[in-house]
């Protein structure tokens, strides 16, 4: 079965059942399959650093 088939069926579910399905899928998907992007950490900037950057690069 393909995801497009499941999606077509899931669209027809009542809202309560759709919510239950969403919760069940969230609990059953292994971590290696779930696509969670990791955010890059930003360097620590102070307000003064931001102002200096804007002055230097945008004026």
């Amino acid at each position: 079965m393909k995801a497009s088939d499941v999606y077509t069926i899931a669209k027809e579910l009542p809202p309560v059942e759709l919510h239950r399905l969403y919760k069940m899928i969230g609990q059953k998907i292994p971590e290696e399959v779930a696509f969670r992007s990791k955010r890059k950490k930003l360097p620590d900037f102070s307000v003064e650093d931001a102002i200096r950057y804007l002055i230097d690069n945008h004026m």
Side-chain angles (χ1 to χ4, degrees):
M1 185 177 285
K2 294 184 178 186
S4 59
D5 300 332
V6 175
Y7 177 72
T8 304
I9 296 168
K11 286 192 310 186
E12 302 301 322
L13 289 174
V16 173
E17 291 299 319
L18 189 59
H19 181 69
R20 287 182 187 158
L21 176 65
Y22 180 76
K23 287 175 71 176
M24 288 190 312
I25 289 174
Q27 293 172 354
K28 299 291 181 180
I29 295 179
E31 285 296 319
E32 62 270 3
V33 175
F35 298 106
R36 295 188 181 153
S37 62
K38 300 205 180 209
R39 298 181 89 184
K40 294 180 183 177
K41 293 195 174 196
L42 296 175
D44 291 331
F45 285 116
S46 66
V47 174
E48 291 81 18
D49 293 334
I51 293 171
R52 175 61 48 203
Y53 173 82
L54 289 173
I55 290 171
D56 291 343
N57 294 305
H58 294 289
M59 290 196 157

